[in-house]
Amino acid sequence: MSTYIKEVHGDFPKIDTPQMREVDRLMIEDYHIELIQMMENAGRCLAILTKERFFDGDVEGKHIIVLAGTGGNGGGALVAARRLHN
């Protein structure tokens, strides 16, 4: 975990890949929240955090690079990019 995250948020519980898959399964099967909605929520929150933390709430005219991997978090990153662009 980066020092920045520890300084801002302190220590928080960590979960591994099987545990995260179980969280996703519970969200979909028990709480009826689809994966696409989870990605939209994660991306929205990431965009808001990015604007507030790094750009004082204003990204207009700024150039931002968003890196998205092939895993499940890639969808959230793409949502964040879309929201920051809009």
Side-chain angles (χ1 to χ4, degrees):
M1 182 182 337
S2 76
T3 303
Y4 174 77
I5 292 175
K6 276 190 171 183
E7 289 174 4
V8 173
H9 300 289
D11 289 328
F12 51 90
K14 297 165 189 71
I15 61 173
D16 58 23
T17 301
Q19 290 170 321
M20 192 66 235
R21 285 191 182 117
E22 178 64 7
V23 169
D24 286 346
R25 185 193 69 72
L26 288 169
M27 293 296 286
I28 293 166
E29 293 178 10
D30 292 358
Y31 298 103
H32 308 289
I33 299 172
E34 295 297 324
L35 187 59
I36 190 77
Q37 186 62 49
M38 288 187 276
M39 285 191 307
E40 284 291 329
N41 289 338
R44 177 180 48 81
C45 290
L46 180 58
I48 290 168
L49 177 66
T50 300
K51 286 170 51 174
E52 292 175 358
R53 177 93 44 206
F54 301 111
F55 297 98
D56 293 324
D58 184 15
V59 295
E60 189 170 340
K62 304 289 192 305
H63 294 276
I64 301 170
I65 296 173
V66 177
L67 303 175
T70 58
N73 292 330
L78 292 175
V79 169
R82 184 188 75 230
R83 288 180 162 266
L84 289 166
H85 176 75
N86 288 338

